Amino acid sequence: MATVTLIEYAEASAPVRAVYDDIMATRKTDWVNNFWKALANHPPTLERTWESVKAVMAPGALDPLTKEMLYLAVSATNGCDYCIASHTAGARKAGMTDEMLGELMAVVGMANETNRLADGYQVEIDDMFKSPGTHAQGGGR
Amino acid sequence: MATVTLIEYAEASAPVRAVYDDIMATRKTDWVNNFWKALANHPPTLERTWESVKAVMAPGALDPLTKEMLYLAVSATNGCDYCIASHTAGARKAGMTDEMLGELMAVVGMANETNRLADGYQVEIDDMFKSPGTHAQGGGR
Amino acid sequence: MATVTLIEYAEASAPVRAVYDDIMATRKTDWVNNFWKALANHPPTLERTWESVKAVMAPGALDPLTKEMLYLAVSATNGCDYCIASHTAGARKAGMTDEMLGELMAVVGMANETNRLADGYQVEIDDMFKSPGTHAQGGGR
Amino acid sequence: MATVTLIEYAEASAPVRAVYDDIMATRKTDWVNNFWKALANHPPTLERTWESVKAVMAPGALDPLTKEMLYLAVSATNGCDYCIASHTAGARKAGMTDEMLGELMAVVGMANETNRLADGYQVEIDDMFKSPGTHAQGGGR
Amino acid sequence: MATVTLIEYAEASAPVRAVYDDIMATRKTDWVNNFWKALANHPPTLERTWESVKAVMAPGALDPLTKEMLYLAVSATNGCDYCIASHTAGARKAGMTDEMLGELMAVVGMANETNRLADGYQVEIDDMFKSPGTHAQGGGR
Amino acid sequence: MATVTLIEYAEASAPVRAVYDDIMATRKTDWVNNFWKALANHPPTLERTWESVKAVMAPGALDPLTKEMLYLAVSATNGCDYCIASHTAGARKAGMTDEMLGELMAVVGMANETNRLADGYQVEIDDMFKSPGTHAQGGGR
């Protein structure tokens, strides 16, 4: 149960409604999910967060599906239930198939395993990996 | 400094050398990075981890570049220095441009921010997001 | 559902009751929350944890409200549902307003974002920040 | 060592210099720390992150010192070396004394301990803590 | 609610049933828990993960009870509800008493506290602790 | 580099020296590691943390080696460099062999992998695992 009251459209102030309207227009949906209704308790955070998410998730050098999958990988690593549910839905809407989800989770699982092994043994970074901004020969994990 | 001795090829047992050879052949490189030299202290873990990584990172429904970027997103979220260095190199080798790295990190940053906001307010999962295995209308974050 | 039986006052041993009594007296309440009823399964942990929390959260160079807000910021970062619920209540009781909660969560969100960006790019620490115990000129993030 | 080249003022583009100038003016310093020089590799992230940090950290219902201490508490919980160094400096500049730092870290330590105990025993949230937006009687941890 | 359909034995393909059969035979039980039914949506991950878990958790230099307790300590630290529930049950089945669970959680709690204190103060590693592969005189925490 | 000055025995106050003396006597060593020298900047935290660690790590239902290994498993999961180095040394001193370290890290790696898979798919907890305080038939992961 949320620690703040979820603010519905009907009770929202004009600035909050403007954000809700933009969320629905941008996503081509007719509803707003609970995350934004919680943030609406602090309008500056609602506005700033939505503007940031909209900018970051827009198509660019990476396509929207790849971005949604990256978002899901981070959310699974952090164990954020809400974010896992919403971004699994978001990635599917953007085209993620069951097979892609299976491979995504396999990568997330392995990365979490090897992250802890590398930390657990305190492995030193190879000199070959220390080349900022260059296309270092490499690929280890 | 690693908490175990890094095992070089020259001192490695035959089974460990076989893994090293497969790593170099699979990656088309002539060196093995420190992570594997640390795992070589426990050959069953070396063999199992390499077989898993090789299988998980092979091309499938997701291409190798996408998989490397997912790996990097998880590593940045966990703050694993070794893994960030090695997978930034790996993703670049697989074709990640500076612009793609910039967008990847922007997504990782936003996901970590909104993960904590969703948790911090204990936001309830919307019913619209509760549809296992279906292509739920959605896309919230 | 807890993995241990919650121990109610009526079934508690004398040493456990003594801790419960001190919790209620210190907090000026007539109930004990579930966290302590779970710890009561291991009395040494119950006693030690309560003594530590009581000492750490007492007024000092930082006032109780600031301490409760710091506790909530950590709990949100760790995604601990129980702790978020209990410390949001605790901070409100200590005087946290809705506006303060909104700003607190905004800081928590930004900190989590920039923590991952700093780690994700493996940014070196500036020399200006390396001055233990001194009032370094600074303020970066 | 950073995985991207740190962009110095002399080599920066006009839009990046504009952000650097605003950072120095806002903070009343004559230098820019490495974090921003790394973000400058992706100007949209530099601009968006700086605007967000500037807005979030400005005085409001919470004063700048409290905000810096919350930032430090999150950074210590995430184990982000860069952020711990920079925000310890930032908090000291904002007025944090050695005694306050000691109490802050004591709270961070206890919160991390009890977060794991509450999760580790899967403690159910008390009904008393389930009252969004109200000033629940409470204060448990 | 899981984001994928849990695959029951009756609807499972032959390769998935083979894994389920091995799980039940290895554990001497007549049921399969939900974790595997979720992984069954991606058979390569089901097979690889089960083979890895079976190998890692088999008796070796460490006995099964110690391994289950280590698994539980990690799961509590990550706040994974499912894993805490299943490995608390698993450790109890392997012989963990209530007293042992109490001491385990006490260690997990203290480790999480001192981990953050060591990180929070950025404590340098003592030279005495830098001796890979040797039995360094030590024991600090 | 630590963000506080490490306090050496020669400069320490009498109460701090008393803790240092007890650390050396308890551990049968003639030196104190940096962690405690950092905590000494806030004597109440030094005293409380040492008393807690001494109590928690004393032999009980779990032997000291098992406790050190649990501490190391948590530290590796949190990626705390200092704690990994000090507790690897501590566990070795308590009798951990190279083979045991290899198996410990294998368990830590797998637990981190399956923790994220269970979270990533939002797997529901089986009813069989919901029996607080009883020796539930189980053992899943």
Side-chain angles (χ1 to χ4, degrees):
Chain A
M1 182 179 195
T3 60
V4 289
T5 305
L6 300 182
I7 299 188
E8 301 296 335
Y9 194 93
E11 290 92 46
S13 66
V16 166
R17 282 189 182 185
V19 175
Y20 286 5
D21 287 336
D22 193 41
I23 290 172
M24 291 187 283
T26 302
R27 293 184 173 171
K28 300 179 180 31
T29 58
D30 60 357
W31 66 295
V32 170
N33 54 306
N34 289 342
F35 177 69
W36 305 109
K37 294 179 188 169
L39 292 198
N41 285 274
H42 194 244
T45 299
L46 174 70
E47 291 172 35
R48 183 178 50 75
T49 305
W50 166 245
E51 289 303 322
S52 290
V53 165
K54 186 167 67 164
V56 166
M57 300 304 280
L62 299 178
D63 59 277
L65 172 56
T66 299
K67 288 183 173 184
E68 280 289 341
M69 290 193 297
L70 290 168
Y71 222 110
L72 178 53
V74 170
S75 301
T77 298
N78 281 332
C80 175
D81 294 351
Y82 185 87
C83 314
I84 292 165
S86 63
H87 286 282
T88 299
R92 279 179 170 148
K93 192 181 176 187
M96 180 178 70
T97 63
D98 290 347
E99 187 68 17
M100 292 162 84
L101 174 61
E103 295 191 11
L104 181 160
M105 285 297 164
V107 173
V108 168
M110 281 311 300
N112 274 286
E113 177 171 14
T114 60
N115 280 193
R116 288 6 178 156
L117 289 171
D119 273 348
Y121 283 122
Q122 295 281 289
V123 185
E124 294 100 331
I125 299 177
D126 305 74
D127 289 337
M128 293 290 279
F129 294 143
K130 297 178 178 167
S131 308
T134 70
H135 292 238
Q137 184 188 28
R141 56 191 59 83
Chain B
M1 183 178 194
T3 60
V4 290
T5 305
L6 299 182
I7 298 188
E8 300 296 336
Y9 194 95
E11 289 92 45
S13 66
V16 166
R17 282 188 182 186
V19 175
Y20 285 5
D21 287 337
D22 193 42
I23 290 173
M24 291 187 284
T26 302
R27 293 183 174 172
K28 299 181 179 36
T29 59
D30 61 356
W31 66 294
V32 171
N33 54 306
N34 288 343
F35 177 70
W36 306 107
K37 294 178 187 168
L39 291 198
N41 285 274
H42 193 244
T45 299
L46 173 70
E47 291 173 34
R48 183 178 50 74
T49 306
W50 167 245
E51 289 303 323
S52 290
V53 165
K54 186 165 68 165
V56 167
M57 299 304 280
L62 299 179
D63 60 277
L65 172 56
T66 299
K67 288 184 172 183
E68 281 290 340
M69 290 193 299
L70 290 168
Y71 222 111
L72 178 53
V74 170
S75 301
T77 298
N78 281 332
C80 176
D81 294 351
Y82 185 88
C83 314
I84 292 166
S86 64
H87 286 282
T88 299
R92 280 179 170 147
K93 191 181 176 187
M96 180 179 69
T97 63
D98 290 349
E99 187 68 16
M100 292 162 84
L101 174 60
E103 295 191 11
L104 181 160
M105 284 296 164
V107 174
V108 168
M110 281 310 301
N112 274 286
E113 179 171 12
T114 59
N115 280 192
R116 287 8 178 156
L117 289 171
D119 273 347
Y121 283 121
Q122 295 281 288
V123 185
E124 295 101 331
I125 300 176
D126 305 74
D127 289 338
M128 293 289 279
F129 294 143
K130 296 178 178 168
S131 308
T134 70
H135 293 239
Q137 185 189 26
R141 55 191 58 83
Chain C
M1 184 179 194
T3 60
V4 289
T5 304
L6 299 182
I7 299 187
E8 301 296 336
Y9 194 94
E11 289 92 45
S13 66
V16 166
R17 282 188 183 187
V19 175
Y20 286 5
D21 287 337
D22 192 42
I23 290 172
M24 292 186 284
T26 302
R27 294 185 173 168
K28 300 180 181 31
T29 59
D30 60 357
W31 66 295
V32 171
N33 55 307
N34 288 342
F35 177 69
W36 305 108
K37 295 179 187 168
L39 290 198
N41 284 274
H42 194 244
T45 299
L46 173 70
E47 291 172 35
R48 183 178 51 76
T49 306
W50 167 245
E51 288 303 323
S52 290
V53 164
K54 186 166 66 164
V56 166
M57 300 303 281
L62 299 178
D63 60 277
L65 172 56
T66 299
K67 289 184 172 184
E68 281 289 340
M69 290 194 298
L70 290 168
Y71 222 111
L72 178 53
V74 170
S75 301
T77 298
N78 281 333
C80 176
D81 294 351
Y82 185 87
C83 314
I84 292 165
S86 63
H87 286 281
T88 299
R92 281 180 169 146
K93 191 181 177 187
M96 180 179 70
T97 63
D98 290 348
E99 187 68 16
M100 291 164 85
L101 174 59
E103 294 191 12
L104 181 160
M105 285 296 164
V107 173
V108 167
M110 280 311 300
N112 274 285
E113 177 171 14
T114 60
N115 279 193
R116 283 18 174 148
L117 289 172
D119 273 348
Y121 284 121
Q122 293 282 288
V123 185
E124 294 100 332
I125 299 175
D126 305 73
D127 288 338
M128 292 289 279
F129 294 143
K130 297 178 178 169
S131 309
T134 70
H135 292 239
Q137 183 188 29
R141 51 193 61 84
Chain D
M1 184 179 194
T3 61
V4 289
T5 304
L6 299 181
I7 298 187
E8 301 295 336
Y9 193 94
E11 289 93 45
S13 66
V16 166
R17 283 188 182 186
V19 175
Y20 286 5
D21 287 337
D22 193 42
I23 290 171
M24 292 187 284
T26 302
R27 293 184 175 169
K28 299 181 181 31
T29 59
D30 60 357
W31 66 294
V32 170
N33 55 306
N34 289 342
F35 177 69
W36 305 109
K37 294 179 188 168
L39 290 199
N41 284 274
H42 194 244
T45 299
L46 173 69
E47 291 172 35
R48 182 177 52 74
T49 306
W50 167 246
E51 289 302 325
S52 291
V53 166
K54 186 167 65 165
V56 166
M57 300 303 281
L62 299 178
D63 60 276
L65 172 56
T66 299
K67 289 184 172 185
E68 281 290 339
M69 290 194 297
L70 290 167
Y71 222 111
L72 178 54
V74 170
S75 301
T77 298
N78 281 332
C80 175
D81 294 350
Y82 186 86
C83 314
I84 292 165
S86 62
H87 286 282
T88 299
R92 281 180 168 146
K93 191 181 176 187
M96 180 178 71
T97 63
D98 290 349
E99 188 67 17
M100 292 163 84
L101 174 60
E103 295 191 11
L104 182 159
M105 285 297 164
V107 174
V108 167
M110 280 311 299
N112 274 285
E113 178 171 12
T114 59
N115 280 192
R116 284 17 175 150
L117 289 172
D119 273 348
Y121 282 121
Q122 295 281 288
V123 185
E124 294 101 332
I125 299 176
D126 306 73
D127 288 337
M128 292 289 279
F129 294 144
K130 297 178 178 169
S131 308
T134 70
H135 293 240
Q137 184 188 30
R141 51 193 63 86
Chain E
M1 184 180 195
T3 60
V4 289
T5 305
L6 299 182
I7 298 187
E8 300 296 335
Y9 194 94
E11 289 92 44
S13 66
V16 166
R17 283 188 182 186
V19 175
Y20 286 4
D21 287 337
D22 193 41
I23 290 172
M24 292 186 284
T26 301
R27 293 183 174 172
K28 299 179 181 35
T29 59
D30 59 358
W31 66 295
V32 171
N33 55 306
N34 289 343
F35 177 69
W36 306 108
K37 294 179 187 169
L39 290 198
N41 285 274
H42 194 244
T45 298
L46 173 70
E47 292 173 34
R48 182 177 51 74
T49 305
W50 167 246
E51 289 303 324
S52 290
V53 165
K54 186 166 67 164
V56 167
M57 300 303 280
L62 299 178
D63 59 277
L65 172 56
T66 300
K67 289 184 171 185
E68 281 290 340
M69 291 193 298
L70 290 168
Y71 222 110
L72 177 54
V74 170
S75 301
T77 299
N78 281 332
C80 175
D81 294 349
Y82 185 87
C83 314
I84 291 165
S86 63
H87 286 281
T88 298
R92 280 179 169 147
K93 191 180 176 186
M96 180 178 70
T97 63
D98 290 348
E99 187 68 16
M100 292 162 84
L101 174 60
E103 295 192 11
L104 182 159
M105 286 296 164
V107 174
V108 167
M110 280 311 300
N112 274 285
E113 178 170 14
T114 60
N115 280 193
R116 288 9 178 156
L117 289 171
D119 273 348
Y121 282 122
Q122 295 281 289
V123 185
E124 294 101 331
I125 299 175
D126 305 73
D127 288 338
M128 293 289 279
F129 294 143
K130 297 178 178 170
S131 309
T134 71
H135 292 238
Q137 183 188 29
R141 51 192 59 87
Chain F
M1 183 179 195
T3 60
V4 289
T5 304
L6 300 181
I7 298 188
E8 300 297 336
Y9 193 94
E11 290 92 45
S13 66
V16 167
R17 281 189 184 186
V19 175
Y20 285 6
D21 287 337
D22 193 42
I23 290 172
M24 292 187 284
T26 302
R27 293 184 174 169
K28 300 179 181 33
T29 59
D30 61 357
W31 66 295
V32 170
N33 55 305
N34 289 342
F35 177 69
W36 305 108
K37 295 179 187 168
L39 291 198
N41 284 274
H42 194 244
T45 299
L46 173 70
E47 291 172 35
R48 183 178 50 75
T49 306
W50 167 245
E51 288 303 324
S52 290
V53 165
K54 186 167 66 165
V56 167
M57 300 304 280
L62 300 178
D63 60 277
L65 172 56
T66 299
K67 289 184 171 184
E68 280 290 339
M69 291 194 297
L70 290 168
Y71 222 112
L72 178 53
V74 170
S75 301
T77 298
N78 280 333
C80 176
D81 294 351
Y82 186 87
C83 314
I84 292 165
S86 63
H87 286 281
T88 299
R92 280 179 169 147
K93 191 180 176 188
M96 181 179 69
T97 63
D98 290 348
E99 188 67 16
M100 292 163 85
L101 174 60
E103 294 190 12
L104 181 159
M105 285 296 164
V107 174
V108 168
M110 280 312 299
N112 274 284
E113 178 171 12
T114 60
N115 279 193
R116 288 7 178 156
L117 288 171
D119 273 347
Y121 283 121
Q122 294 281 288
V123 185
E124 294 100 331
I125 299 176
D126 305 74
D127 288 337
M128 293 288 278
F129 295 144
K130 296 178 178 168
S131 308
T134 70
H135 292 239
Q137 184 188 29
R141 53 191 61 83

Short mmCIF file of all heavy atoms in Angstrom, two decimals, chain E residues 74-101:
data_model
loop_
_atom_site.label_atom_id
_atom_site.label_comp_id
_atom_site.label_asym_id
_atom_site.label_seq_id
_atom_site.Cartn_x
_atom_site.Cartn_y
_atom_site.Cartn_z
N VAL E 74 22.92 -14.58 1.48
CA VAL E 74 22.94 -13.75 0.26
C VAL E 74 21.53 -13.27 -0.06
O VAL E 74 21.31 -12.09 -0.38
CB VAL E 74 23.52 -14.55 -0.93
CG1 VAL E 74 23.32 -13.79 -2.24
CG2 VAL E 74 25.00 -14.84 -0.71
N SER E 75 20.55 -14.18 0.03
CA SER E 75 19.17 -13.82 -0.32
C SER E 75 18.61 -12.75 0.60
O SER E 75 17.88 -11.86 0.16
CB SER E 75 18.29 -15.08 -0.26
OG SER E 75 18.77 -16.07 -1.15
N ALA E 76 18.96 -12.81 1.88
CA ALA E 76 18.51 -11.78 2.82
C ALA E 76 19.16 -10.45 2.50
O ALA E 76 18.54 -9.39 2.58
CB ALA E 76 18.82 -12.20 4.26
N THR E 77 20.43 -10.49 2.12
CA THR E 77 21.15 -9.27 1.78
C THR E 77 20.57 -8.63 0.52
O THR E 77 20.49 -7.41 0.41
CB THR E 77 22.65 -9.58 1.59
OG1 THR E 77 23.16 -10.09 2.83
CG2 THR E 77 23.44 -8.35 1.18
N ASN E 78 20.14 -9.45 -0.43
CA ASN E 78 19.54 -8.92 -1.65
C ASN E 78 18.05 -8.61 -1.48
O ASN E 78 17.43 -8.03 -2.38
CB ASN E 78 19.70 -9.92 -2.80
CG ASN E 78 21.09 -9.88 -3.40
OD1 ASN E 78 21.76 -8.86 -3.38
ND2 ASN E 78 21.54 -11.00 -3.95
N GLY E 79 17.46 -9.00 -0.36
CA GLY E 79 16.04 -8.74 -0.15
C GLY E 79 15.14 -9.47 -1.12
O GLY E 79 14.08 -8.97 -1.49
N CYS E 80 15.54 -10.67 -1.54
CA CYS E 80 14.72 -11.46 -2.47
C CYS E 80 13.72 -12.31 -1.68
O CYS E 80 14.08 -13.35 -1.11
CB CYS E 80 15.62 -12.36 -3.32
SG CYS E 80 14.68 -13.47 -4.40
N ASP E 81 12.46 -11.86 -1.66
CA ASP E 81 11.44 -12.53 -0.83
C ASP E 81 11.30 -14.01 -1.16
O ASP E 81 11.26 -14.84 -0.25
CB ASP E 81 10.07 -11.85 -1.03
CG ASP E 81 10.05 -10.44 -0.51
OD1 ASP E 81 11.00 -10.03 0.18
OD2 ASP E 81 9.07 -9.72 -0.80
N TYR E 82 11.19 -14.31 -2.44
CA TYR E 82 11.00 -15.71 -2.82
C TYR E 82 12.16 -16.56 -2.31
O TYR E 82 11.96 -17.64 -1.73
CB TYR E 82 10.90 -15.86 -4.35
CG TYR E 82 10.57 -17.28 -4.73
CD1 TYR E 82 9.26 -17.71 -4.81
CD2 TYR E 82 11.59 -18.21 -4.95
CE1 TYR E 82 8.95 -19.02 -5.11
CE2 TYR E 82 11.29 -19.52 -5.23
CZ TYR E 82 9.96 -19.93 -5.31
OH TYR E 82 9.67 -21.23 -5.60
N CYS E 83 13.37 -16.07 -2.51
CA CYS E 83 14.57 -16.84 -2.18
C CYS E 83 14.73 -16.99 -0.67
O CYS E 83 15.20 -18.02 -0.18
CB CYS E 83 15.79 -16.17 -2.79
SG CYS E 83 15.52 -15.68 -4.52
N ILE E 84 14.36 -15.96 0.08
CA ILE E 84 14.43 -16.04 1.53
C ILE E 84 13.48 -17.13 2.02
O ILE E 84 13.84 -17.96 2.85
CB ILE E 84 14.07 -14.67 2.16
CG1 ILE E 84 15.17 -13.65 1.85
CG2 ILE E 84 13.85 -14.80 3.67
CD1 ILE E 84 14.76 -12.20 2.10
N ALA E 85 12.25 -17.13 1.50
CA ALA E 85 11.26 -18.13 1.91
C ALA E 85 11.73 -19.53 1.55
O ALA E 85 11.68 -20.45 2.38
CB ALA E 85 9.90 -17.83 1.27
N SER E 86 12.20 -19.71 0.32
CA SER E 86 12.55 -21.07 -0.11
C SER E 86 13.83 -21.57 0.56
O SER E 86 13.92 -22.74 0.91
CB SER E 86 12.68 -21.13 -1.64
OG SER E 86 13.72 -20.32 -2.12
N HIS E 87 14.79 -20.69 0.77
CA HIS E 87 16.04 -21.16 1.38
C HIS E 87 15.98 -21.21 2.91
O HIS E 87 16.79 -21.91 3.51
CB HIS E 87 17.23 -20.32 0.89
CG HIS E 87 17.57 -20.69 -0.51
ND1 HIS E 87 18.29 -21.82 -0.83
CD2 HIS E 87 17.23 -20.13 -1.69
CE1 HIS E 87 18.40 -21.92 -2.14
NE2 HIS E 87 17.76 -20.91 -2.69
N THR E 88 15.06 -20.50 3.52
CA THR E 88 14.85 -20.73 4.94
C THR E 88 14.29 -22.14 5.12
O THR E 88 14.74 -22.91 5.99
CB THR E 88 13.86 -19.69 5.54
OG1 THR E 88 14.43 -18.39 5.38
CG2 THR E 88 13.61 -19.94 7.02
N ALA E 89 13.33 -22.49 4.25
CA ALA E 89 12.78 -23.86 4.29
C ALA E 89 13.87 -24.88 3.97
O ALA E 89 13.99 -25.92 4.63
CB ALA E 89 11.63 -23.97 3.29
N GLY E 90 14.67 -24.58 2.96
CA GLY E 90 15.73 -25.51 2.57
C GLY E 90 16.76 -25.72 3.66
O GLY E 90 17.22 -26.85 3.90
N ALA E 91 17.14 -24.64 4.32
CA ALA E 91 18.14 -24.75 5.39
C ALA E 91 17.57 -25.52 6.58
O ALA E 91 18.27 -26.33 7.20
CB ALA E 91 18.62 -23.36 5.81
N ARG E 92 16.30 -25.26 6.89
CA ARG E 92 15.69 -26.00 8.00
C ARG E 92 15.66 -27.49 7.68
O ARG E 92 15.93 -28.33 8.54
CB ARG E 92 14.27 -25.49 8.27
CG ARG E 92 14.27 -24.21 9.08
CD ARG E 92 12.85 -23.70 9.30
NE ARG E 92 12.84 -22.62 10.30
CZ ARG E 92 12.00 -21.60 10.28
NH1 ARG E 92 11.10 -21.50 9.32
NH2 ARG E 92 12.06 -20.67 11.22
N LYS E 93 15.30 -27.81 6.45
CA LYS E 93 15.25 -29.22 6.05
C LYS E 93 16.64 -29.86 6.19
O LYS E 93 16.77 -31.03 6.52
CB LYS E 93 14.76 -29.32 4.60
CG LYS E 93 14.42 -30.72 4.15
CD LYS E 93 13.94 -30.69 2.69
CE LYS E 93 13.69 -32.10 2.15
NZ LYS E 93 13.38 -32.07 0.71
N ALA E 94 17.66 -29.06 5.94
CA ALA E 94 19.04 -29.57 6.02
C ALA E 94 19.57 -29.59 7.45
O ALA E 94 20.72 -29.98 7.68
CB ALA E 94 19.96 -28.74 5.12
N GLY E 95 18.76 -29.12 8.40
CA GLY E 95 19.17 -29.23 9.79
C GLY E 95 19.34 -27.94 10.57
O GLY E 95 19.74 -27.96 11.73
N MET E 96 19.05 -26.80 9.95
CA MET E 96 19.21 -25.52 10.67
C MET E 96 18.17 -25.42 11.80
O MET E 96 16.97 -25.55 11.56
CB MET E 96 19.03 -24.35 9.70
CG MET E 96 19.19 -22.99 10.37
SD MET E 96 19.03 -21.62 9.17
CE MET E 96 17.26 -21.72 8.80
N THR E 97 18.64 -25.18 13.01
CA THR E 97 17.74 -25.00 14.15
C THR E 97 17.35 -23.53 14.27
O THR E 97 17.92 -22.66 13.61
CB THR E 97 18.44 -25.41 15.46
OG1 THR E 97 19.56 -24.52 15.65
CG2 THR E 97 18.96 -26.84 15.39
N ASP E 98 16.38 -23.25 15.14
CA ASP E 98 15.97 -21.86 15.38
C ASP E 98 17.15 -21.04 15.89
O ASP E 98 17.32 -19.87 15.52
CB ASP E 98 14.83 -21.81 16.41
CG ASP E 98 13.53 -22.36 15.85
OD1 ASP E 98 13.44 -22.57 14.62
OD2 ASP E 98 12.60 -22.59 16.64
N GLU E 99 17.97 -21.65 16.73
CA GLU E 99 19.12 -20.94 17.30
C GLU E 99 20.13 -20.60 16.20
O GLU E 99 20.71 -19.50 16.19
CB GLU E 99 19.79 -21.81 18.38
CG GLU E 99 20.90 -21.13 19.15
CD GLU E 99 20.40 -20.00 20.05
OE1 GLU E 99 19.18 -19.92 20.31
OE2 GLU E 99 21.24 -19.17 20.48
N MET E 100 20.33 -21.54 15.28
CA MET E 100 21.25 -21.28 14.19
C MET E 100 20.73 -20.18 13.27
O MET E 100 21.48 -19.33 12.81
CB MET E 100 21.48 -22.57 13.39
CG MET E 100 22.25 -23.63 14.19
SD MET E 100 22.09 -25.29 13.49
CE MET E 100 23.37 -25.22 12.24
N LEU E 101 19.41 -20.19 13.01
CA LEU E 101 18.83 -19.12 12.19
C LEU E 101 19.02 -17.77 12.87
O LEU E 101 19.36 -16.77 12.23
CB LEU E 101 17.33 -19.38 11.97
CG LEU E 101 16.54 -18.28 11.25
CD1 LEU E 101 17.10 -18.03 9.86
CD2 LEU E 101 15.06 -18.65 11.15
#
